[in-house]
Amino acid sequence: MSNSDPKTRPRPGPWPPAPDSSAMPPSSWAKKTGFRPKFSGETNASDSGQISLPAPRPREPEAQPDLEAGRARPQPPLNGVPEREVAAPAPAAPSDKDQTVKRRKDSNGGSKVAANGPSGPNGQAAAGPTEPNSQPRRPARNEEVVDVLPHGVDDDENVARHSHMKYELRDTPGLVPIGLYGFQHYLSMLGSIILIPLVIVPAMGGTYEDTGNVVSTVLFVSGVTTLLQTSFGSRLPLIQGPSFVYLAPALAIINSPEFRVLNGNNFKHIMKELQGAIIIGSAFQAILGYSGLMSIFLRLINPVVVSPTIAAVGLSFYSYGFPLVGTCLEIGAVQILLVIIFSLYLRKVSIFGHRVFLIYAVPLGLAITWSAAFLLTEAGAYSYKGCDINVPASNIISEHCRKHVSRMKHCRVDTSHALRSSPWFRFPYPLQWGTPVFHWKMAFIMCVVSIISSVDSVGSYHASSLLVASRPPTPGVLSRGIGLEGLSSVLAGLWGTGTGSTSLTENVHTLAVTKMGSRRAVELGACVLIALSLVGKVGGFLASIPQVMVAALLCFMWAMLAALGLSNLRYSEAGSSRNIIIVGLSLFFSLSIPAYFQQYGISPNSNLSVPSYFQPYIVASHGPFRSKYGGVNYVLNTLLSLHMVVAFLVAVILDNTVPGSRQERGVYVWSEPEVAKREPAVAKDYGLPFRISRVFRWVKWVGL
């Protein structure tokens, strides 16, 4: 047996290097790396770092494990002559003896194990075939390993199955499982799809019927664009829908000075202005993707840029969230508490193998709170003698009714007539609100917003590919996905959803929770979404959700969006002082600079014509830029009042000018096109169907 005393142990040969005399205790090392001994009859390691075998075989030297590399250490040289390296076990029985094992525990108590091959930065597997007897490189003690979702290659040089996913990208388990999982996938993201119309349509002066029609249109466009993205775009299982990235600029356009003096039907007029701006901005995004400019722009986008940009999107709506919840605190606060309890305290409760409370936290909380509010309304808790909710507040004479009109409006669930007024069948069609109106200043704002949307999608593509695909996509596939998102947003502009259609950031969280990465499940769910959009009563039912419940759900959704943005830092060295300062400055200035623009020129006692939660979006009328060019003033005042724009500008400038290594910055590593073409698994993951790729062979930046 080899001696564990570092003073009497013979000096090893040139390979492997001599380990430190004070080896790391296996108890802490195993927790950090997930090392699992494979030796027969092995017990726990002792404090000396030596593995004890109860019954060693005669005439066979004991193999001492290397605690740094996670494999058997070669025997020391005899008589000063180094021996040959220990041969690796035969590849016929796959094991973890001769390869690095990494285990990563997720936040839900699960574990992700990746074996059979080392992974590169950001989860990209090493290119080229691996020799069966080759030993993986031992990392240096001062070398940090990026904490990503790794994956490996099996014996057939195909990508090994991710142990943390039930179904992967190309799996087709059957019609019934696909249907159930697809419905579950969309139901868990219900809030992200329908909540934006419930905010912008009332802000435009639309009626309950208009809100129901817009919700049906959003469902239709979301289903169509999801089918396009999974078939001809990135081909990842990402649901397309109205992104929160477009919400703040849409509210800024809605509250423009020229629209506040309109009389009559403001909804259709403002919607046509929004349609024109979205179409121009989306066409710019399509050109950015299909022209190949996105591949060049991709060099500037890294996790340190994506994290504060997406986090600023969620943090920017703090003035809308709880102030509106406070209008009926007993309903809104209960809604928030229920979602928190389901998603955090009951997240590990499993029913029939499914974490029901974690997956359906939003719809469950909405259903329970809505039912409770309905019972309170029917019991007369919000009925006051002599007061009628249908009478406008300006016509109410009684002081008693004036005092309770706010509670009657926000707490009652029977104030909406969307369900009764909506038809049973309605087909959403393009230009249903009229011909779009184009103004260059609003179109320029949407062009800038489309860049922020592309940054959001880059982070979603990378994170979701590590969960469900064989490798990260190539720059060409990513450009193709961004280009198709631009075309999808053009469709959203033509149909009149009020926002663009992009890959929802919440996709990554939903994929990790539901463990359903099948592309077919998302496509089947998209078909169901299109069918539901044709039933007008569905849109009317969703449009009748009380506004205070919408605000309560948005508080949770925006908080999760901010957290998902910051989670991109796991691909970089989050503890680096460089990254900490860049992210901190980006987040602080994303809140402080827009606050300066939003408060400029407003006196404390000024009587504004918009609600308090919409005041941050009227900056175009009182911002600090007041030159003789009104359009330029509008653009600069509006853009610099958007939190995500300021966060992106600060982060992209600092991250690309402050020196830092690629590992420290966590530079996204995308698959090389030539390597991807040689691997059948990657070609099947991202290749276009129906041999359409032959058409694009002359355009190298939209294919593999």
Side-chain angles (χ1 to χ4, degrees):
M1 294 180 63
S2 59
N3 195 351
S4 61
D5 189 356
K7 296 182 179 179
T8 60
R9 186 169 53 195
R11 294 181 61 84
W15 178 260
D20 274 353
S21 59
S22 58
M24 186 181 302
S27 58
S28 62
W29 173 86
K31 291 179 181 179
K32 183 177 180 181
T33 62
F35 173 74
R36 292 183 300 175
K38 293 291 185 178
F39 297 96
S40 175
E42 217 168 29
T43 60
N44 291 334
S46 61
D47 292 339
S48 63
Q50 189 176 8
I51 304 298
S52 60
L53 293 176
R57 296 180 180 179
R59 298 182 182 180
E60 289 186 7
E62 178 186 359
Q64 185 176 4
D66 189 343
L67 298 181
E68 295 180 1
R71 61 176 181 270
R73 180 184 293 151
Q75 296 296 320
L78 301 177
N79 300 327
V81 180
E83 297 180 351
R84 293 179 178 270
E85 295 184 6
V86 178
S95 67
D96 298 337
K97 292 182 181 180
D98 59 341
Q99 296 181 354
T100 304
V101 179
K102 297 180 182 179
R103 169 168 295 184
R104 177 183 173 200
K105 296 183 178 180
D106 60 6
S107 60
N108 298 326
S111 62
K112 304 178 179 71
V113 181
N116 299 333
S119 300
N122 294 326
Q124 186 182 15
T130 304
E131 296 297 332
N133 293 330
S134 62
Q135 297 285 350
R137 180 179 66 86
R138 176 194 291 180
R141 285 189 175 271
N142 58 355
E143 178 182 355
E144 291 203 22
V145 180
V146 181
D147 184 16
V148 295
L149 297 172
H151 48 268
V153 178
D154 58 15
D155 296 336
D156 298 329
E157 295 187 358
N158 293 325
V159 175
R161 171 174 293 276
H162 297 269
S163 61
H164 55 277
M165 299 297 293
K166 291 181 181 178
Y167 299 104
E168 296 181 11
L169 187 60
R170 289 178 280 113
D171 290 346
T172 53
L175 183 61
V176 174
I178 284 180
L180 292 177
Y181 278 107
F183 178 76
Q184 166 186 281
H185 201 81
Y186 278 86
L187 188 60
S188 63
M189 298 187 65
L190 182 65
S192 303
I193 298 175
I194 68 168
L195 291 182
I196 291 182
L198 302 184
V199 175
I200 63 173
V201 176
M204 287 188 283
T207 62
Y208 295 116
E209 185 178 359
D210 294 330
T211 305
N213 293 338
V214 173
V215 170
S216 297
T217 304
V218 166
L219 296 178
F220 179 82
V221 174
S222 179
V224 171
T225 54
T226 300
L227 290 176
L228 291 175
Q229 186 66 243
T230 55
S231 301
F232 309 109
S234 65
R235 306 218 69 196
L236 291 169
L238 299 177
I239 297 176
Q240 308 295 296
S243 173
F244 288 117
V245 174
Y246 285 90
L247 180 55
L251 290 175
I253 293 176
I254 290 171
N255 290 280
S256 297
E258 55 264 36
F259 299 151
R260 293 206 298 269
V261 297
L262 292 177
N263 294 321
N265 194 348
N266 299 351
F267 167 73
K268 288 189 176 181
H269 184 86
I270 299 177
M271 177 62 82
K272 290 186 290 184
E273 298 275 358
L274 268 179
Q275 286 182 261
I278 291 171
I279 290 173
I280 298 298
S282 304
F284 171 77
Q285 186 181 17
I287 295 173
L288 186 69
Y290 285 124
S291 66
L293 294 176
M294 191 64 201
S295 300
I296 301 175
F297 181 62
L298 197 61
R299 304 170 186 173
L300 305 177
I301 304 175
N302 298 309
V304 182
V305 178
V306 175
S307 295
T309 303
I310 305 307
V313 175
L315 295 176
S316 61
F317 299 104
Y318 63 89
S319 63
Y320 182 90
F322 206 82
L324 199 56
V325 172
T327 57
C328 186
L329 199 58
E330 63 269 26
I331 300 297
V334 170
Q335 173 80 76
I336 296 176
L337 289 177
L338 282 176
V339 176
I340 291 175
I341 291 173
F342 291 153
S343 60
L344 292 179
Y345 294 99
L346 301 180
R347 73 184 189 277
K348 294 185 179 180
V349 176
S350 180
I351 300 178
F352 300 110
H354 299 276
R355 294 183 177 180
V356 176
F357 295 104
L358 178 61
I359 297 174
Y360 305 116
V362 170
L364 278 177
L366 175 62
I368 295 175
T369 310
W370 203 351
S371 301
F374 175 78
L375 294 178
L376 290 175
T377 302
E378 292 298 319
Y382 305 114
S383 298
Y384 299 95
K385 186 177 180 181
C387 302
D388 187 0
I389 188 62
N390 297 318
V391 177
S394 58
N395 297 337
I396 297 178
I397 302 176
S398 172
E399 187 66 26
H400 171 71
C401 294
R402 284 181 177 272
K403 179 181 178 181
H404 299 291
V405 65
S406 178
R407 292 178 58 80
M408 294 172 61
K409 178 181 178 182
H410 294 97
C411 296
R412 295 179 65 94
V413 298
D414 57 353
T415 58
S416 174
H417 306 286
L419 184 60
R420 291 194 298 267
S421 61
S422 57
W424 277 102
F425 177 81
R426 182 182 183 275
F427 182 79
Y429 55 93
L431 306 180
Q432 55 188 331
W433 315 118
T435 305
V437 179
F438 301 94
H439 284 101
W440 73 269
K441 58 181 182 181
M442 299 177 185
F444 186 84
I445 291 175
M446 283 300 177
C447 289
V448 176
V449 172
S450 67
I451 297 177
I452 308 296
S453 173
S454 301
V455 173
D456 182 13
S457 298
V458 168
S460 299
Y461 289 172
H462 185 268
S464 61
S465 66
L466 296 183
L467 284 170
V468 301
S470 54
R471 292 179 185 268
T474 64
V477 172
L478 188 143
S479 298
R480 188 179 71 201
I482 296 297
L484 190 57
E485 282 192 9
L487 294 181
S488 300
S489 295
V490 171
L491 296 180
L494 291 174
W495 259 260
T497 62
T499 62
S501 181
T502 63
S503 297
L504 299 178
T505 311
E506 296 81 0
N507 274 296
V508 179
H509 172 74
T510 304
L511 288 173
V513 170
T514 61
K515 304 184 185 303
M516 163 51 69
S518 173
R519 186 162 50 208
R520 297 291 179 238
V522 175
E523 291 173 347
L524 184 59
C527 295
V528 174
L529 213 62
I530 295 174
L532 291 177
S533 69
L534 304 179
V535 182
K537 291 295 183 181
V538 173
F541 175 75
L542 296 175
S544 61
I545 300 176
Q547 194 176 20
V548 65
M549 296 184 190
V550 173
L553 291 179
L554 286 173
C555 287
F556 178 80
M557 301 299 299
W558 288 330
M560 194 175 71
L561 181 62
L564 287 173
L566 293 176
S567 68
N568 284 275
L569 288 175
R570 69 185 183 271
Y571 302 117
S572 65
E573 292 185 4
S576 167
S577 60
R578 171 192 182 275
N579 297 344
I580 290 175
I581 294 174
I582 292 176
V583 174
L585 289 175
S586 302
L587 287 178
F588 176 79
F589 285 118
S590 71
L591 298 176
S592 185
I593 293 178
Y596 165 74
F597 278 79
Q598 294 165 6
Q599 298 171 9
Y600 187 89
I602 297 181
S603 59
N605 298 325
S606 59
N607 186 15
L608 299 176
S609 59
V610 297
S612 59
Y613 45 82
F614 283 148
Q615 290 181 10
Y617 308 106
I618 61 173
V619 66
S621 60
H622 59 80
F625 286 100
R626 300 182 179 182
S627 66
K628 62 180 181 179
Y629 303 103
V632 176
N633 298 339
Y634 180 91
V635 169
L636 294 178
N637 287 327
T638 302
L639 287 179
L640 293 179
S641 68
L642 299 179
H643 302 75
M644 58 184 178
V645 174
V646 177
F648 172 72
L649 292 176
V650 175
V652 75
I653 292 174
L654 292 180
D655 184 56
N656 289 279
T657 55
V658 177
S661 64
R662 291 176 59 88
Q663 183 176 358
E664 183 181 20
R665 298 172 62 195
V667 175
Y668 285 134
V669 178
W670 308 100
S671 298
E672 295 293 336
E674 298 301 326
V675 176
K677 290 178 181 178
R678 293 196 298 265
E679 294 192 11
V682 180
K684 292 179 181 178
D685 283 347
Y686 300 110
L688 293 174
F690 313 119
R691 298 183 179 180
I692 297 179
S693 56
R694 294 183 178 181
V695 181
F696 294 102
R697 282 184 177 179
W698 61 279
V699 187
K700 63 179 181 180
W701 49 79
V702 296
L704 292 178

